[in-house]
PDB file of all heavy atoms in Angstrom:
ATOM      1  N   ARG B  95     -16.360   0.912  -3.928  1.00  0.00           N
ATOM      2  CA  ARG B  95     -15.573   2.124  -3.823  1.00  0.00           C
ATOM      3  C   ARG B  95     -16.311   3.298  -4.393  1.00  0.00           C
ATOM      4  O   ARG B  95     -16.418   4.441  -3.847  1.00  0.00           O
ATOM      5  CB  ARG B  95     -14.219   1.931  -4.561  1.00  0.00           C
ATOM      6  CG  ARG B  95     -13.358   3.244  -4.603  1.00  0.00           C
ATOM      7  CD  ARG B  95     -12.411   3.217  -5.780  1.00  0.00           C
ATOM      8  NE  ARG B  95     -13.107   3.314  -7.070  1.00  0.00           N
ATOM      9  CZ  ARG B  95     -12.505   3.227  -8.254  1.00  0.00           C
ATOM     10  NH1 ARG B  95     -11.155   2.961  -8.290  1.00  0.00           N
ATOM     11  NH2 ARG B  95     -13.154   3.337  -9.388  1.00  0.00           N
ATOM     12  N   ASP B  96     -16.907   3.093  -5.564  1.00  0.00           N
ATOM     13  CA  ASP B  96     -17.673   4.160  -6.239  1.00  0.00           C
ATOM     14  C   ASP B  96     -18.964   4.535  -5.503  1.00  0.00           C
ATOM     15  O   ASP B  96     -19.358   5.669  -5.526  1.00  0.00           O
ATOM     16  CB  ASP B  96     -17.975   3.749  -7.728  1.00  0.00           C
ATOM     17  CG  ASP B  96     -16.725   3.592  -8.534  1.00  0.00           C
ATOM     18  OD1 ASP B  96     -15.670   4.159  -8.118  1.00  0.00           O
ATOM     19  OD2 ASP B  96     -16.785   2.985  -9.604  1.00  0.00           O
ATOM     20  N   GLU B  97     -19.546   3.492  -4.862  1.00  0.00           N
ATOM     21  CA  GLU B  97     -20.780   3.773  -4.133  1.00  0.00           C
ATOM     22  C   GLU B  97     -20.513   4.667  -2.935  1.00  0.00           C
ATOM     23  O   GLU B  97     -21.223   5.652  -2.633  1.00  0.00           O
ATOM     24  CB  GLU B  97     -21.363   2.474  -3.603  1.00  0.00           C
ATOM     25  CG  GLU B  97     -22.618   2.598  -2.732  1.00  0.00           C
ATOM     26  CD  GLU B  97     -23.080   1.260  -2.146  1.00  0.00           C
ATOM     27  OE1 GLU B  97     -22.604   0.246  -2.647  1.00  0.00           O
ATOM     28  OE2 GLU B  97     -23.814   1.312  -1.168  1.00  0.00           O
ATOM     29  N   ILE B  98     -19.448   4.399  -2.204  1.00  0.00           N
ATOM     30  CA  ILE B  98     -19.064   5.192  -1.023  1.00  0.00           C
ATOM     31  C   ILE B  98     -18.404   6.479  -1.433  1.00  0.00           C
ATOM     32  O   ILE B  98     -18.653   7.540  -0.854  1.00  0.00           O
ATOM     33  CB  ILE B  98     -18.172   4.331  -0.051  1.00  0.00           C
ATOM     34  CG1 ILE B  98     -18.805   3.112   0.326  1.00  0.00           C
ATOM     35  CG2 ILE B  98     -17.823   5.195   1.149  1.00  0.00           C
ATOM     36  CD1 ILE B  98     -20.172   3.249   1.023  1.00  0.00           C
ATOM     37  N   GLY B  99     -17.591   6.436  -2.443  1.00  0.00           N
ATOM     38  CA  GLY B  99     -16.793   7.571  -2.901  1.00  0.00           C
ATOM     39  C   GLY B  99     -15.422   7.577  -2.287  1.00  0.00           C
ATOM     40  O   GLY B  99     -15.261   7.335  -1.049  1.00  0.00           O
ATOM     41  N   PHE B 100     -14.423   7.856  -3.119  1.00  0.00           N
ATOM     42  CA  PHE B 100     -13.058   7.814  -2.587  1.00  0.00           C
ATOM     43  C   PHE B 100     -12.835   8.810  -1.502  1.00  0.00           C
ATOM     44  O   PHE B 100     -12.130   8.514  -0.520  1.00  0.00           O
ATOM     45  CB  PHE B 100     -12.053   7.978  -3.721  1.00  0.00           C
ATOM     46  CG  PHE B 100     -10.619   7.794  -3.286  1.00  0.00           C
ATOM     47  CD1 PHE B 100     -10.115   6.463  -3.218  1.00  0.00           C
ATOM     48  CD2 PHE B 100      -9.803   8.850  -2.929  1.00  0.00           C
ATOM     49  CE1 PHE B 100      -8.805   6.248  -2.753  1.00  0.00           C
ATOM     50  CE2 PHE B 100      -8.519   8.629  -2.489  1.00  0.00           C
ATOM     51  CZ  PHE B 100      -8.003   7.386  -2.423  1.00  0.00           C
ATOM     52  N   PRO B 101     -13.315  10.058  -1.571  1.00  0.00           N
ATOM     53  CA  PRO B 101     -13.093  11.025  -0.474  1.00  0.00           C
ATOM     54  C   PRO B 101     -13.556  10.511   0.898  1.00  0.00           C
ATOM     55  O   PRO B 101     -12.915  10.683   1.898  1.00  0.00           O
ATOM     56  CB  PRO B 101     -13.855  12.217  -0.895  1.00  0.00           C
ATOM     57  CG  PRO B 101     -13.920  12.180  -2.398  1.00  0.00           C
ATOM     58  CD  PRO B 101     -14.075  10.694  -2.705  1.00  0.00           C
ATOM     59  N   ALA B 102     -14.705   9.814   0.864  1.00  0.00           N
ATOM     60  CA  ALA B 102     -15.234   9.244   2.161  1.00  0.00           C
ATOM     61  C   ALA B 102     -14.379   8.171   2.684  1.00  0.00           C
ATOM     62  O   ALA B 102     -14.068   8.028   3.865  1.00  0.00           O
ATOM     63  CB  ALA B 102     -16.631   8.749   1.970  1.00  0.00           C
ATOM     64  N   LEU B 103     -13.875   7.338   1.718  1.00  0.00           N
ATOM     65  CA  LEU B 103     -12.989   6.235   2.149  1.00  0.00           C
ATOM     66  C   LEU B 103     -11.662   6.809   2.708  1.00  0.00           C
ATOM     67  O   LEU B 103     -11.097   6.283   3.641  1.00  0.00           O
ATOM     68  CB  LEU B 103     -12.673   5.309   0.964  1.00  0.00           C
ATOM     69  CG  LEU B 103     -13.871   4.528   0.351  1.00  0.00           C
ATOM     70  CD1 LEU B 103     -13.411   3.805  -0.888  1.00  0.00           C
ATOM     71  CD2 LEU B 103     -14.422   3.592   1.394  1.00  0.00           C
ATOM     72  N   ALA B 104     -11.175   7.866   2.135  1.00  0.00           N
ATOM     73  CA  ALA B 104      -9.927   8.523   2.544  1.00  0.00           C
ATOM     74  C   ALA B 104     -10.124   9.078   3.965  1.00  0.00           C
ATOM     75  O   ALA B 104      -9.238   9.024   4.772  1.00  0.00           O
ATOM     76  CB  ALA B 104      -9.507   9.550   1.540  1.00  0.00           C
ATOM     77  N   GLN B 105     -11.314   9.643   4.204  1.00  0.00           N
ATOM     78  CA  GLN B 105     -11.582  10.122   5.563  1.00  0.00           C
ATOM     79  C   GLN B 105     -11.615   9.032   6.564  1.00  0.00           C
ATOM     80  O   GLN B 105     -11.120   9.184   7.718  1.00  0.00           O
ATOM     81  CB  GLN B 105     -12.924  10.876   5.523  1.00  0.00           C
ATOM     82  CG  GLN B 105     -12.921  12.237   4.846  1.00  0.00           C
ATOM     83  CD  GLN B 105     -14.244  12.938   4.845  1.00  0.00           C
ATOM     84  OE1 GLN B 105     -15.230  12.384   5.236  1.00  0.00           O
ATOM     85  NE2 GLN B 105     -14.246  14.229   4.513  1.00  0.00           N
ATOM     86  N   ARG B 106     -12.173   7.886   6.198  1.00  0.00           N
ATOM     87  CA  ARG B 106     -12.123   6.753   7.116  1.00  0.00           C
ATOM     88  C   ARG B 106     -10.702   6.348   7.448  1.00  0.00           C
ATOM     89  O   ARG B 106     -10.360   6.113   8.612  1.00  0.00           O
ATOM     90  CB  ARG B 106     -12.835   5.514   6.470  1.00  0.00           C
ATOM     91  CG  ARG B 106     -14.325   5.661   6.315  1.00  0.00           C
ATOM     92  CD  ARG B 106     -14.907   4.421   5.688  1.00  0.00           C
ATOM     93  NE  ARG B 106     -16.330   4.454   5.440  1.00  0.00           N
ATOM     94  CZ  ARG B 106     -17.021   3.488   4.823  1.00  0.00           C
ATOM     95  NH1 ARG B 106     -16.424   2.373   4.440  1.00  0.00           N
ATOM     96  NH2 ARG B 106     -18.362   3.634   4.654  1.00  0.00           N
ATOM     97  N   ALA B 107      -9.895   6.274   6.421  1.00  0.00           N
ATOM     98  CA  ALA B 107      -8.457   5.928   6.614  1.00  0.00           C
ATOM     99  C   ALA B 107      -7.738   6.936   7.531  1.00  0.00           C
ATOM    100  O   ALA B 107      -7.012   6.566   8.423  1.00  0.00           O
ATOM    101  CB  ALA B 107      -7.784   5.734   5.285  1.00  0.00           C
ATOM    102  N   SER B 108      -8.009   8.187   7.274  1.00  0.00           N
ATOM    103  CA  SER B 108      -7.348   9.262   7.994  1.00  0.00           C
ATOM    104  C   SER B 108      -7.754   9.219   9.486  1.00  0.00           C
ATOM    105  O   SER B 108      -6.912   9.297  10.380  1.00  0.00           O
ATOM    106  CB  SER B 108      -7.684  10.564   7.455  1.00  0.00           C
ATOM    107  OG  SER B 108      -7.008  11.628   8.102  1.00  0.00           O
ATOM    108  N   GLY B 109      -9.048   8.915   9.722  1.00  0.00           N
ATOM    109  CA  GLY B 109      -9.542   8.815  11.066  1.00  0.00           C
ATOM    110  C   GLY B 109      -8.920   7.667  11.783  1.00  0.00           C
ATOM    111  O   GLY B 109      -8.606   7.707  12.999  1.00  0.00           O
ATOM    112  N   ALA B 110      -8.707   6.562  11.073  1.00  0.00           N
ATOM    113  CA  ALA B 110      -8.088   5.381  11.687  1.00  0.00           C
ATOM    114  C   ALA B 110      -6.629   5.631  12.067  1.00  0.00           C
ATOM    115  O   ALA B 110      -6.194   5.174  13.116  1.00  0.00           O
ATOM    116  CB  ALA B 110      -8.167   4.198  10.662  1.00  0.00           C
ATOM    117  N   ILE B 111      -5.943   6.360  11.237  1.00  0.00           N
ATOM    118  CA  ILE B 111      -4.589   6.691  11.594  1.00  0.00           C
ATOM    119  C   ILE B 111      -4.507   7.566  12.831  1.00  0.00           C
ATOM    120  O   ILE B 111      -3.637   7.392  13.726  1.00  0.00           O
ATOM    121  CB  ILE B 111      -3.840   7.400  10.370  1.00  0.00           C
ATOM    122  CG1 ILE B 111      -3.853   6.538   9.176  1.00  0.00           C
ATOM    123  CG2 ILE B 111      -2.392   7.776  10.726  1.00  0.00           C
ATOM    124  CD1 ILE B 111      -3.255   5.146   9.347  1.00  0.00           C
ATOM    125  N   ASP B 112      -5.414   8.529  12.898  1.00  0.00           N
ATOM    126  CA  ASP B 112      -5.418   9.402  14.027  1.00  0.00           C
ATOM    127  C   ASP B 112      -5.700   8.656  15.335  1.00  0.00           C
ATOM    128  O   ASP B 112      -5.122   8.907  16.344  1.00  0.00           O
ATOM    129  CB  ASP B 112      -6.496  10.492  13.876  1.00  0.00           C
ATOM    130  CG  ASP B 112      -6.130  11.482  12.784  1.00  0.00           C
ATOM    131  OD1 ASP B 112      -4.937  11.584  12.442  1.00  0.00           O
ATOM    132  OD2 ASP B 112      -7.052  12.206  12.286  1.00  0.00           O
ATOM    133  N   GLU B 113      -6.610   7.649  15.232  1.00  0.00           N
ATOM    134  CA  GLU B 113      -7.009   6.843  16.401  1.00  0.00           C
ATOM    135  C   GLU B 113      -5.753   6.016  16.917  1.00  0.00           C
ATOM    136  O   GLU B 113      -5.678   5.780  18.117  1.00  0.00           O
ATOM    137  CB  GLU B 113      -8.111   5.869  16.065  1.00  0.00           C
ATOM    138  CG  GLU B 113      -9.455   6.586  15.901  1.00  0.00           C
ATOM    139  CD  GLU B 113     -10.560   5.629  15.505  1.00  0.00           C
ATOM    140  OE1 GLU B 113     -10.322   4.415  15.555  1.00  0.00           O
ATOM    141  OE2 GLU B 113     -11.693   6.106  15.163  1.00  0.00           O
ATOM    142  N   LEU B 114      -4.932   5.593  15.983  1.00  0.00           N
ATOM    143  CA  LEU B 114      -3.788   4.797  16.361  1.00  0.00           C
ATOM    144  C   LEU B 114      -2.789   5.559  17.291  1.00  0.00           C
ATOM    145  O   LEU B 114      -2.211   5.034  18.182  1.00  0.00           O
ATOM    146  CB  LEU B 114      -2.970   4.317  15.171  1.00  0.00           C
ATOM    147  CG  LEU B 114      -3.662   3.236  14.325  1.00  0.00           C
ATOM    148  CD1 LEU B 114      -2.891   3.012  12.995  1.00  0.00           C
ATOM    149  CD2 LEU B 114      -3.703   1.931  15.129  1.00  0.00           C
ATOM    150  N   GLY B 115      -2.641   6.826  17.087  1.00  0.00           N
ATOM    151  CA  GLY B 115      -1.781   7.679  17.896  1.00  0.00           C
ATOM    152  C   GLY B 115      -0.333   7.172  17.938  1.00  0.00           C
ATOM    153  O   GLY B 115       0.296   7.155  18.974  1.00  0.00           O
ATOM    154  N   LEU B 116       0.142   6.794  16.794  1.00  0.00           N
ATOM    155  CA  LEU B 116       1.491   6.227  16.713  1.00  0.00           C
ATOM    156  C   LEU B 116       2.554   7.318  16.943  1.00  0.00           C
ATOM    157  O   LEU B 116       2.412   8.429  16.568  1.00  0.00           O
ATOM    158  CB  LEU B 116       1.717   5.584  15.311  1.00  0.00           C
ATOM    159  CG  LEU B 116       0.747   4.451  14.981  1.00  0.00           C
ATOM    160  CD1 LEU B 116       1.071   3.929  13.586  1.00  0.00           C
ATOM    161  CD2 LEU B 116       0.841   3.285  15.985  1.00  0.00           C
ATOM    162  N   GLU B 117       3.665   6.869  17.518  1.00  0.00           N
ATOM    163  CA  GLU B 117       4.812   7.767  17.771  1.00  0.00           C
ATOM    164  C   GLU B 117       5.955   7.268  16.931  1.00  0.00           C
ATOM    165  O   GLU B 117       6.089   6.074  16.611  1.00  0.00           O
ATOM    166  CB  GLU B 117       5.154   7.770  19.233  1.00  0.00           C
ATOM    167  CG  GLU B 117       4.107   8.292  20.135  1.00  0.00           C
ATOM    168  CD  GLU B 117       4.541   8.304  21.638  1.00  0.00           C
ATOM    169  OE1 GLU B 117       5.646   7.860  21.885  1.00  0.00           O
ATOM    170  OE2 GLU B 117       3.816   8.764  22.467  1.00  0.00           O
ATOM    171  N   GLY B 118       6.816   8.171  16.549  1.00  0.00           N
ATOM    172  CA  GLY B 118       8.004   7.852  15.768  1.00  0.00           C
ATOM    173  C   GLY B 118       7.726   7.663  14.329  1.00  0.00           C
ATOM    174  O   GLY B 118       6.575   7.974  13.856  1.00  0.00           O
ATOM    175  N   PRO B 119       8.730   7.143  13.566  1.00  0.00           N
ATOM    176  CA  PRO B 119       8.564   7.034  12.102  1.00  0.00           C
ATOM    177  C   PRO B 119       7.471   5.959  11.777  1.00  0.00           C
ATOM    178  O   PRO B 119       7.244   4.990  12.414  1.00  0.00           O
ATOM    179  CB  PRO B 119       9.910   6.499  11.653  1.00  0.00           C
ATOM    180  CG  PRO B 119      10.855   6.804  12.756  1.00  0.00           C
ATOM    181  CD  PRO B 119      10.021   6.759  13.988  1.00  0.00           C
ATOM    182  N   ILE B 120       6.769   6.218  10.651  1.00  0.00           N
ATOM    183  CA  ILE B 120       5.696   5.313  10.167  1.00  0.00           C
ATOM    184  C   ILE B 120       5.970   5.017   8.698  1.00  0.00           C
ATOM    185  O   ILE B 120       6.319   5.931   7.938  1.00  0.00           O
ATOM    186  CB  ILE B 120       4.311   5.971  10.350  1.00  0.00           C
ATOM    187  CG1 ILE B 120       4.051   6.381  11.747  1.00  0.00           C
ATOM    188  CG2 ILE B 120       3.228   4.976   9.849  1.00  0.00           C
ATOM    189  CD1 ILE B 120       2.727   7.108  11.953  1.00  0.00           C
ATOM    190  N   TYR B 121       5.805   3.800   8.342  1.00  0.00           N
ATOM    191  CA  TYR B 121       5.910   3.353   6.897  1.00  0.00           C
ATOM    192  C   TYR B 121       4.550   3.003   6.417  1.00  0.00           C
ATOM    193  O   TYR B 121       3.878   2.146   7.025  1.00  0.00           O
ATOM    194  CB  TYR B 121       6.852   2.192   6.832  1.00  0.00           C
ATOM    195  CG  TYR B 121       8.263   2.463   7.312  1.00  0.00           C
ATOM    196  CD1 TYR B 121       8.637   2.393   8.607  1.00  0.00           C
ATOM    197  CD2 TYR B 121       9.245   2.961   6.399  1.00  0.00           C
ATOM    198  CE1 TYR B 121       9.889   2.687   9.074  1.00  0.00           C
ATOM    199  CE2 TYR B 121      10.511   3.237   6.815  1.00  0.00           C
ATOM    200  CZ  TYR B 121      10.791   3.147   8.146  1.00  0.00           C
ATOM    201  OH  TYR B 121      12.103   3.461   8.556  1.00  0.00           O
ATOM    202  N   PHE B 122       4.150   3.608   5.316  1.00  0.00           N
ATOM    203  CA  PHE B 122       2.856   3.386   4.788  1.00  0.00           C
ATOM    204  C   PHE B 122       2.924   2.479   3.517  1.00  0.00           C
ATOM    205  O   PHE B 122       3.637   2.834   2.553  1.00  0.00           O
ATOM    206  CB  PHE B 122       2.163   4.715   4.401  1.00  0.00           C
ATOM    207  CG  PHE B 122       1.861   5.556   5.617  1.00  0.00           C
ATOM    208  CD1 PHE B 122       2.794   6.633   5.989  1.00  0.00           C
ATOM    209  CD2 PHE B 122       0.799   5.365   6.399  1.00  0.00           C
ATOM    210  CE1 PHE B 122       2.526   7.416   7.072  1.00  0.00           C
ATOM    211  CE2 PHE B 122       0.517   6.160   7.518  1.00  0.00           C
ATOM    212  CZ  PHE B 122       1.379   7.216   7.843  1.00  0.00           C
ATOM    213  N   GLY B 123       2.134   1.430   3.478  1.00  0.00           N
ATOM    214  CA  GLY B 123       2.124   0.555   2.299  1.00  0.00           C
ATOM    215  C   GLY B 123       0.665   0.434   1.795  1.00  0.00           C
ATOM    216  O   GLY B 123      -0.217   0.259   2.598  1.00  0.00           O
ATOM    217  N   GLY B 124       0.501   0.430   0.469  1.00  0.00           N
ATOM    218  CA  GLY B 124      -0.808   0.211  -0.064  1.00  0.00           C
ATOM    219  C   GLY B 124      -0.768  -0.710  -1.232  1.00  0.00           C
ATOM    220  O   GLY B 124       0.206  -0.842  -1.987  1.00  0.00           O
TER     221      GLY B 124
END
Side-chain angles (χ1 to χ4, degrees):
R95 176 203 68 183
D96 294 342
E97 175 187 345
I98 303 301
F100 188 81
L103 295 175
Q105 287 182 347
R106 290 180 183 178
S108 183
I111 301 303
D112 290 342
E113 288 178 10
L114 286 171
L116 300 179
E117 298 181 356
I120 304 173
Y121 297 86
F122 295 98

